[in-house]
Amino acid sequence: MEIVAIARLGHLMNRLVKLLAGTNRPAKIAIQVAADSVVLLGCFTFAMAIRLESVAFANNLKVWLVFALSAAAALATFGLSGLYRTLVRFLTGRIIVAIGRGVAVLAFAMLLLNAFGDRGIPRSVPIMTATFALLSIGGFRFLVRQIFRGPLQLSKRPVAIYGAGEAGLELLNSLFHGRDYSPIAFIDDDPRLQGLIIGGCRVYAPNELTQLKISMPLDAILLAVPNIGPARRREILSHLEMLDLEVKTIPSLSDIIAGKAKISQLRHVTPEELLGRDPVPPDEQLLGQSITRKVVMVTGAGGSIGSELCRQILDQDPLALVLYEISELALYSIEGELSEAGKRLGTSTKIIPILGSVQDEARLGSVMKAFKVETIYHAAAYKHVPIVEENVVEGIRNNVFGTLAAARSAHENRVERFILISTDKAVRPTNVMGATKRIAELICQGLAQQDTGTIYSMVRFGNVLGSSGSVIPRFAAQIESGGPVTVTHPEITRYFMTIPEASQLVIQAGAMAQGGDVFILDMGNPVKIADLAVTMVKLHGLKPYFVNHASEGNPEDADIAINFTGLRKGEKLYEELLLGNDPESTEHPRIFTASEVSLPLSDLMEKLELLQNACSKFDLSEVRAILEKMPLHYMPADDKIGDLTWATSDAALTLECLASTGAKTAI
């Protein structure tokens, strides 16, 4: 019976709340004024009864006249102070100020009116009435606020906020007014805060989280620590991963300060936060040495690395920035972004968007000559291993002969520095893409031996987070769609670095170059891709399980599958950054140099001519043979040539048709 009575009472309260919420604004104000009048009357009557220990004053009309005038003054002050313009559902502690002004006027008016003759009101009663009124009117409003919020709170997800500092408190207030989350606890590392009650939520230590999850209906954890470093954030996330709770975070401090995001705009944890590390402060002199007040050109300016290079180059105030890109859409996007950024920075840098292919040496030369280019960052390349493996000739033409065209044009037009963006896949390549990038390195090394006046260098690094085609965005999309998450192999590992850090290091490495340098970026420790997939699933509050693997797990107790699909064409289990084992340190702790095998330019050009002829005839057997004979350490992962056209057509007929056209491009 008691349960039924409580349920009926709750139903009635919900109906009452809905009724009041639907009332128009003037009616709500009238209700508040009437309620405050009753409260003031009760407080005054109570104060008089306590002070006089009698209710005989009730027959004294002078007493009620003083009270009526004083109460009217107090109600008017409440209105002028904004008390009746405040939505009860969104009350904060600042409302006490408005109430305090009103009760102060009440007490002062009562004392003043009582002073003009003996009205029968003791001097202590105005103070007692004001005190009772402050507590009653304020308390009543907060009680009503809680009643209004009650039905809404029941539909919210219970969460804990990690971080009881200023960001955590601001997030707490935002969540109270929102419709998604109901904060029930704080988590904080500071022992001074642990055990305290902040905003109605107790502060717990991180090691109490496991027990907290058992004792409370906890659905998610919200990170509100925007000012900690990447390494510390990674430690926190590693601990939270074990709880099988969804983890979200407020935006970064830089985005909040810049006005790009609000503290209440929660998002899922990004891979950069899972894999990021504390940055090393850049050498400002190195950053600007090859850029400031110079004409800089970036090939592949619309790509992942190229676009970030452009952003950081713009920060160094070049005289002009030439954006060389084959994709009209990519060029349009990056040109618009940089133009807007230039206005915000107040820079005089001229942004020059140029459509063109790096295979077009005449176009490259005319651009370099027209704008008097001084520094080139060559980022244009086909970089996706399976795509290049299935389109061998185009991959070679773009990555090898495109680099040759750009590098020779740089020499012919007296460009001061030419920096090639290379990859860890160039080390002992098992795929055509890696082999082409190693040849691109050999081209720069060969030209550097000629004393051309141009300083050639190469910067080699691994995967960058968030680049097009990266596994990270694919994992996120697969998790959002319910899975399965696809990983090629249980043991596959990769190096990862954020695009901004990689670009910053590329710029600094290029400034150090003396000619022919092969720079290696410190990528940190390799990451097991399967472990990364598991972590991303868990931080979405889901339980993963494996299929097609010995540790299959229990699908009945899990939410999302991780499926192993097998290595793709040309893919390696692990990547390397060095052919040898003799990296040398530089003035930057995360940039090293390596002594790699090179070829005299004349020998290299002979091999490139053979390669060009084989590509022109579409003789992929010959192409592979040439790549295997060059000093690339090329070891194809598959005996079968993966090119789609080669695989689906009659090879002999294809060779005959192409040979009959006499197609051949001179190098």
Side-chain angles (χ1 to χ4, degrees), residues 597-664:
V597 175
S598 62
L599 283 176
L601 188 60
S602 57
D603 293 348
L604 178 62
M605 294 304 292
E606 290 178 7
K607 296 183 184 300
L608 290 181
E609 185 172 1
L610 294 174
L611 184 61
Q612 178 66 53
N613 290 336
C615 287
S616 298
K617 294 185 294 183
F618 200 68
D619 189 347
L620 297 193
S621 295
E622 180 64 18
V623 167
R624 174 172 282 193
I626 294 169
L627 294 180
E628 289 176 339
K629 290 177 183 177
M630 294 181 73
L632 312 176
H633 299 275
Y634 175 53
M635 296 172 287
D638 194 338
D639 292 336
K640 185 179 179 181
I641 295 174
D643 188 281
L644 295 178
T645 307
W646 178 270
T648 56
S649 63
D650 180 47
L653 179 62
T654 303
L655 286 171
E656 183 180 341
C657 291
L658 289 172
S660 67
T661 65
K664 180 177 179 182

XYZ file of all heavy atoms in Angstrom, residues 597-664:
516
model
N 72.328 4.190 -47.725
C 72.949 3.878 -49.005
C 72.410 4.828 -50.075
O 71.217 5.116 -50.114
C 72.647 2.419 -49.399
C 73.191 2.117 -50.791
C 73.237 1.466 -48.381
N 73.294 5.302 -50.933
C 72.869 6.166 -52.030
C 73.525 5.684 -53.317
O 74.416 4.819 -53.301
C 73.238 7.621 -51.746
O 74.641 7.761 -51.638
N 73.099 6.234 -54.430
C 73.657 5.901 -55.739
C 74.179 7.168 -56.399
O 73.576 8.238 -56.236
C 72.581 5.296 -56.643
C 72.179 3.836 -56.424
C 71.031 3.477 -57.368
C 73.352 2.906 -56.669
N 75.263 7.073 -57.163
C 75.657 8.226 -57.987
C 74.515 8.583 -58.928
O 73.796 7.714 -59.422
C 76.884 7.703 -58.760
C 77.408 6.582 -57.919
C 76.207 5.951 -57.285
N 74.337 9.859 -59.189
C 73.198 10.311 -59.971
C 73.174 9.675 -61.356
O 72.099 9.313 -61.864
C 73.217 11.842 -60.092
C 71.974 12.462 -60.738
C 70.719 12.138 -59.940
C 72.147 13.970 -60.872
N 74.348 9.493 -61.978
C 74.386 8.903 -63.325
C 73.865 7.471 -63.308
O 73.097 7.070 -64.196
C 75.819 8.939 -63.875
O 76.707 8.252 -62.981
N 74.271 6.684 -62.308
C 73.785 5.303 -62.197
C 72.283 5.287 -61.924
O 71.546 4.463 -62.480
C 74.508 4.569 -61.069
C 75.984 4.359 -61.356
O 76.387 4.590 -62.526
O 76.725 3.983 -60.428
N 71.845 6.181 -61.081
C 70.426 6.233 -60.738
C 69.597 6.593 -61.966
O 68.527 5.997 -62.206
C 70.195 7.264 -59.626
C 68.738 7.465 -59.186
C 68.152 6.182 -58.617
C 68.639 8.588 -58.156
N 70.065 7.543 -62.783
C 69.307 7.965 -63.951
C 69.183 6.838 -64.973
O 68.153 6.711 -65.656
C 69.958 9.189 -64.596
C 69.917 10.437 -63.706
S 68.245 10.893 -63.188
C 67.540 11.401 -64.734
N 70.211 6.002 -65.083
C 70.124 4.843 -65.988
C 69.001 3.911 -65.549
O 68.208 3.432 -66.367
C 71.460 4.089 -66.006
C 72.586 4.826 -66.699
C 73.891 4.045 -66.635
O 73.863 2.876 -66.162
O 74.928 4.584 -67.059
N 68.931 3.663 -64.252
C 67.901 2.757 -63.734
C 66.511 3.383 -63.857
O 65.527 2.694 -64.131
C 68.204 2.402 -62.281
C 69.509 1.631 -62.106
C 69.754 1.234 -60.674
C 71.107 0.544 -60.514
N 71.216 -0.695 -61.337
N 66.452 4.696 -63.674
C 65.162 5.366 -63.804
C 64.668 5.348 -65.252
O 63.460 5.262 -65.500
C 65.260 6.815 -63.297
C 65.440 6.992 -61.791
C 65.488 8.478 -61.439
C 64.324 6.316 -61.012
N 65.613 5.413 -66.205
C 65.208 5.339 -67.609
C 64.632 3.968 -67.928
O 63.610 3.853 -68.629
C 66.394 5.642 -68.520
C 65.996 5.709 -69.986
C 67.123 6.209 -70.876
O 68.217 6.486 -70.353
O 66.891 6.322 -72.097
N 65.266 2.917 -67.402
C 64.735 1.568 -67.586
C 63.346 1.448 -66.949
O 62.434 0.841 -67.529
C 65.684 0.538 -66.957
C 67.058 0.385 -67.605
C 67.927 -0.574 -66.773
C 66.921 -0.141 -69.029
N 63.210 2.033 -65.775
C 61.930 1.975 -65.074
C 60.854 2.727 -65.857
O 59.707 2.258 -65.972
C 62.087 2.571 -63.664
C 60.861 2.507 -62.751
C 60.435 1.066 -62.494
C 61.139 3.214 -61.428
N 61.230 3.872 -66.424
C 60.278 4.664 -67.214
C 59.821 3.894 -68.450
O 58.629 3.886 -68.798
C 60.916 5.987 -67.617
C 60.024 6.873 -68.481
C 58.803 7.370 -67.731
O 58.932 7.941 -66.658
N 57.629 7.142 -68.282
N 60.764 3.236 -69.105
C 60.421 2.460 -70.301
C 59.475 1.317 -69.951
O 58.510 1.049 -70.675
C 61.685 1.909 -70.958
C 62.523 3.014 -71.591
O 62.002 4.082 -71.931
N 63.812 2.763 -71.752
N 59.746 0.634 -68.840
C 58.893 -0.483 -68.420
C 57.496 0.017 -68.077
O 56.497 -0.646 -68.385
C 59.519 -1.204 -67.228
N 57.412 1.188 -67.453
C 56.098 1.757 -67.121
C 55.349 2.152 -68.396
O 54.133 1.943 -68.500
C 56.264 2.974 -66.217
S 56.739 2.577 -64.526
N 56.067 2.716 -69.368
C 55.429 3.138 -70.609
C 54.856 1.948 -71.362
O 53.812 2.054 -72.015
C 56.432 3.875 -71.499
O 56.886 5.043 -70.860
N 55.528 0.801 -71.268
C 55.054 -0.420 -71.932
C 54.102 -1.222 -71.055
O 53.603 -2.259 -71.475
C 56.258 -1.286 -72.315
C 57.152 -0.673 -73.371
C 58.259 -1.612 -73.790
C 59.250 -1.881 -72.656
N 60.362 -2.741 -73.098
N 53.881 -0.736 -69.851
C 53.036 -1.436 -68.878
C 53.528 -2.867 -68.638
O 52.754 -3.809 -68.486
C 51.573 -1.443 -69.334
C 50.600 -1.710 -68.203
C 50.422 -0.789 -67.197
C 49.885 -2.893 -68.146
C 49.534 -1.026 -66.158
C 48.992 -3.148 -67.108
C 48.825 -2.203 -66.105
N 54.837 -3.004 -68.620
C 55.447 -4.313 -68.368
C 55.739 -4.424 -66.874
O 56.827 -4.095 -66.402
C 56.730 -4.447 -69.189
C 57.309 -5.863 -69.142
O 56.854 -6.652 -68.277
O 58.192 -6.166 -69.952
N 54.746 -4.879 -66.121
C 54.885 -4.875 -64.667
C 55.847 -5.947 -64.168
O 56.407 -5.814 -63.079
C 53.514 -5.039 -64.010
C 52.506 -3.919 -64.290
C 51.311 -4.014 -63.353
C 53.143 -2.549 -64.173
N 56.051 -6.982 -64.937
C 57.072 -7.971 -64.559
C 58.449 -7.329 -64.604
O 59.283 -7.532 -63.714
C 57.007 -9.171 -65.510
O 55.782 -9.852 -65.362
N 58.684 -6.541 -65.635
C 59.954 -5.835 -65.747
C 60.072 -4.755 -64.673
O 61.154 -4.536 -64.106
C 60.074 -5.207 -67.137
C 61.370 -4.434 -67.386
C 62.612 -5.327 -67.331
O 62.485 -6.564 -67.434
O 63.720 -4.779 -67.176
N 58.965 -4.063 -64.391
C 58.968 -3.058 -63.326
C 59.402 -3.686 -62.013
O 60.274 -3.156 -61.307
C 57.572 -2.422 -63.175
C 57.485 -1.626 -61.867
C 57.265 -1.506 -64.353
N 58.816 -4.840 -61.682
C 59.188 -5.499 -60.429
C 60.644 -5.920 -60.442
O 61.351 -5.756 -59.434
C 58.285 -6.707 -60.180
C 58.705 -7.521 -58.966
C 57.730 -8.599 -58.599
N 56.582 -8.062 -57.894
C 55.696 -8.823 -57.228
N 55.834 -10.133 -57.196
N 54.688 -8.259 -56.609
N 61.116 -6.423 -61.555
C 62.514 -6.862 -61.642
C 63.472 -5.692 -61.419
O 64.490 -5.821 -60.729
C 62.763 -7.515 -63.002
N 63.128 -4.529 -62.002
C 63.985 -3.343 -61.824
C 63.992 -2.901 -60.363
O 65.055 -2.585 -59.804
C 63.490 -2.201 -62.738
C 63.686 -2.571 -64.208
C 64.218 -0.899 -62.408
C 62.998 -1.622 -65.182
N 62.838 -2.880 -59.747
C 62.756 -2.472 -58.336
C 63.569 -3.412 -57.450
O 64.224 -2.972 -56.498
C 61.292 -2.449 -57.877
C 60.374 -1.410 -58.525
C 58.958 -1.527 -57.960
C 60.896 0.003 -58.312
N 63.536 -4.715 -57.775
C 64.274 -5.686 -56.953
C 65.781 -5.546 -57.123
O 66.541 -5.859 -56.205
C 63.821 -7.104 -57.311
C 62.397 -7.426 -56.833
C 61.927 -8.799 -57.272
O 62.497 -9.340 -58.244
O 60.980 -9.327 -56.657
N 66.225 -5.060 -58.302
C 67.661 -4.909 -58.541
C 68.223 -3.612 -57.953
O 69.422 -3.508 -57.710
C 67.928 -4.942 -60.052
C 67.723 -6.317 -60.671
C 67.919 -6.273 -62.183
C 67.642 -7.628 -62.816
N 67.771 -7.578 -64.299
N 67.365 -2.629 -57.745
C 67.832 -1.362 -57.179
C 68.128 -1.534 -55.682
O 67.560 -2.432 -55.029
C 66.785 -0.264 -57.389
C 66.566 0.100 -58.850
S 65.346 1.417 -59.082
C 66.289 2.841 -58.513
N 69.003 -0.691 -55.099
C 69.362 -0.837 -53.670
C 68.260 -0.324 -52.734
O 68.430 0.651 -52.004
C 70.628 0.009 -53.552
C 70.477 1.067 -54.596
C 69.778 0.389 -55.739
N 67.113 -0.999 -52.825
C 65.959 -0.573 -52.028
C 65.648 -1.550 -50.905
O 64.839 -1.245 -50.032
C 64.708 -0.464 -52.924
C 64.828 0.300 -54.245
C 63.517 0.204 -55.021
C 65.210 1.743 -53.994
N 66.264 -2.761 -50.989
C 65.884 -3.864 -50.090
C 64.405 -4.208 -50.272
O 63.710 -4.550 -49.311
C 66.164 -3.519 -48.625
C 67.598 -3.261 -48.327
N 68.495 -4.254 -48.035
C 68.304 -2.093 -48.298
C 69.696 -3.726 -47.828
N 69.605 -2.418 -47.986
N 63.956 -4.110 -51.538
C 62.549 -4.366 -51.851
C 62.277 -5.861 -51.849
O 62.898 -6.629 -52.590
C 62.220 -3.760 -53.214
C 60.830 -4.051 -53.730
C 59.703 -3.784 -52.955
C 60.646 -4.580 -55.014
C 58.423 -4.035 -53.441
C 59.370 -4.826 -55.503
C 58.264 -4.559 -54.714
O 57.003 -4.817 -55.203
N 61.363 -6.284 -51.016
C 60.983 -7.698 -50.898
C 59.463 -7.791 -50.953
O 58.794 -7.624 -49.922
C 61.513 -8.279 -49.589
C 63.028 -8.309 -49.492
S 63.609 -8.787 -47.854
C 63.226 -7.294 -46.928
N 58.889 -7.988 -52.147
C 57.428 -8.010 -52.271
C 56.792 -9.033 -51.340
O 57.281 -10.159 -51.198
C 57.200 -8.385 -53.738
C 58.476 -8.040 -54.426
C 59.559 -8.234 -53.425
N 55.713 -8.626 -50.694
C 55.023 -9.511 -49.762
C 54.295 -10.636 -50.478
O 53.987 -11.668 -49.885
C 54.027 -8.701 -48.915
N 54.022 -10.430 -51.780
C 53.259 -11.411 -52.545
C 53.954 -11.628 -53.881
O 54.373 -10.672 -54.537
C 51.830 -10.897 -52.760
C 50.884 -11.993 -53.238
O 51.373 -12.997 -53.790
O 49.662 -11.832 -53.071
N 54.093 -12.895 -54.298
C 54.709 -13.185 -55.593
C 53.846 -12.688 -56.748
O 54.339 -12.404 -57.833
C 54.933 -14.697 -55.746
C 55.990 -15.221 -54.777
O 56.834 -14.404 -54.350
O 55.956 -16.414 -54.444
N 52.550 -12.556 -56.494
C 51.610 -12.147 -57.525
C 51.559 -10.630 -57.615
O 51.490 -9.937 -56.600
C 50.227 -12.704 -57.207
C 49.187 -12.433 -58.278
C 47.850 -13.046 -57.876
C 46.781 -12.772 -58.916
N 45.467 -13.346 -58.516
N 51.618 -10.094 -58.822
C 51.517 -8.648 -59.023
C 50.082 -8.219 -58.755
O 49.134 -8.789 -59.305
C 51.952 -8.267 -60.444
C 53.441 -8.585 -60.632
C 51.686 -6.781 -60.712
C 53.944 -8.391 -62.048
N 49.912 -7.202 -57.911
C 48.577 -6.833 -57.443
C 47.854 -5.814 -58.294
O 46.704 -5.490 -58.006
N 48.505 -5.292 -59.340
C 47.864 -4.262 -60.153
C 46.557 -4.778 -60.741
O 46.505 -5.852 -61.345
C 48.817 -3.830 -61.269
C 48.299 -2.629 -62.026
O 47.420 -2.820 -62.890
O 48.748 -1.502 -61.751
N 45.489 -4.013 -60.598
C 44.167 -4.472 -61.016
C 44.061 -4.636 -62.530
O 43.482 -5.609 -63.029
C 43.096 -3.503 -60.520
C 42.928 -3.416 -58.995
C 41.876 -2.376 -58.643
C 42.548 -4.769 -58.416
N 44.616 -3.688 -63.282
C 44.558 -3.784 -64.738
C 45.362 -4.974 -65.234
O 44.937 -5.728 -66.105
C 45.079 -2.487 -65.382
O 44.375 -1.380 -64.839
C 44.903 -2.513 -66.888
N 46.524 -5.154 -64.656
C 47.397 -6.286 -65.014
C 46.713 -7.615 -64.681
O 46.768 -8.575 -65.452
C 48.718 -6.157 -64.260
C 49.703 -7.276 -64.478
C 49.826 -8.423 -63.773
C 50.712 -7.322 -65.490
N 50.842 -9.185 -64.262
C 51.414 -8.533 -65.326
C 51.099 -6.447 -66.517
C 52.475 -8.907 -66.139
C 52.158 -6.824 -67.327
C 52.840 -8.038 -67.142
N 46.055 -7.662 -63.540
C 45.464 -8.918 -63.081
C 44.218 -9.302 -63.872
O 43.901 -10.485 -64.006
C 45.108 -8.801 -61.601
N 43.496 -8.302 -64.413
C 42.210 -8.604 -65.053
C 42.281 -8.587 -66.571
O 41.271 -8.771 -67.234
C 41.147 -7.590 -64.604
O 41.599 -6.268 -64.902
C 40.880 -7.713 -63.112
N 43.449 -8.330 -67.120
C 43.577 -8.294 -68.578
C 44.630 -9.292 -69.027
O 45.434 -9.786 -68.218
C 43.951 -6.886 -69.047
O 45.222 -6.535 -68.532
N 44.630 -9.563 -70.292
C 45.653 -10.436 -70.861
C 46.945 -9.627 -70.961
O 47.048 -8.688 -71.736
C 45.221 -10.934 -72.239
C 46.257 -11.842 -72.867
O 46.752 -12.758 -72.161
O 46.584 -11.634 -74.033
N 47.951 -10.010 -70.165
C 49.175 -9.216 -70.059
C 49.859 -9.038 -71.413
O 50.318 -7.946 -71.764
C 50.133 -9.870 -69.064
N 49.919 -10.128 -72.201
C 50.607 -10.043 -73.489
C 49.901 -9.070 -74.422
O 50.528 -8.251 -75.104
C 50.676 -11.435 -74.125
N 48.545 -9.116 -74.429
C 47.782 -8.214 -75.280
C 47.967 -6.772 -74.841
O 48.111 -5.864 -75.657
C 46.304 -8.602 -75.253
C 45.353 -7.731 -76.084
C 45.730 -7.815 -77.567
C 43.902 -8.179 -75.888
N 47.980 -6.574 -73.534
C 48.174 -5.223 -72.999
C 49.513 -4.658 -73.421
O 49.629 -3.507 -73.861
C 48.067 -5.246 -71.465
O 46.808 -5.782 -71.101
C 48.213 -3.851 -70.881
N 50.570 -5.489 -73.315
C 51.904 -5.042 -73.697
C 51.958 -4.690 -75.186
O 52.534 -3.686 -75.592
C 52.929 -6.138 -73.388
C 53.290 -6.330 -71.907
C 54.143 -7.573 -71.734
C 54.043 -5.112 -71.394
N 51.304 -5.521 -75.992
C 51.313 -5.299 -77.434
C 50.600 -4.009 -77.801
O 51.081 -3.211 -78.608
C 50.642 -6.486 -78.128
C 50.665 -6.386 -79.657
C 49.983 -7.585 -80.301
O 49.829 -8.617 -79.617
O 49.602 -7.472 -81.473
N 49.450 -3.781 -77.153
C 48.681 -2.561 -77.451
C 49.438 -1.304 -77.057
O 49.485 -0.322 -77.803
C 47.336 -2.614 -76.725
S 46.224 -3.876 -77.392
N 50.032 -1.353 -75.871
C 50.752 -0.170 -75.389
C 52.014 0.078 -76.194
O 52.402 1.212 -76.452
C 51.076 -0.327 -73.902
C 49.866 -0.240 -72.966
C 50.267 -0.615 -71.542
C 49.279 1.152 -72.984
N 52.681 -1.012 -76.591
C 53.901 -0.862 -77.374
C 53.596 -0.240 -78.736
O 54.369 0.543 -79.281
C 54.575 -2.220 -77.551
N 52.416 -0.601 -79.295
C 52.045 -0.092 -80.617
C 51.796 1.406 -80.611
O 51.880 2.062 -81.638
C 50.804 -0.826 -81.133
O 49.680 -0.500 -80.336
N 51.472 1.938 -79.433
C 51.227 3.388 -79.350
C 52.528 4.171 -79.316
O 52.536 5.380 -79.522
C 50.412 3.730 -78.103
O 51.189 3.420 -76.941
C 49.114 2.936 -78.047
N 53.607 3.456 -78.992
C 54.898 4.134 -78.883
C 54.974 5.084 -77.733
O 55.763 6.019 -77.730
N 54.078 4.858 -76.735
C 54.009 5.760 -75.578
C 55.294 5.699 -74.788
O 55.691 4.660 -74.302
C 52.830 5.371 -74.704
N 55.974 6.803 -74.679
C 57.205 6.857 -73.896
C 57.451 8.295 -73.495
O 57.397 9.196 -74.333
C 58.383 6.330 -74.706
C 59.695 6.355 -73.938
C 60.827 5.768 -74.751
C 62.148 5.820 -73.993
N 63.282 5.293 -74.775
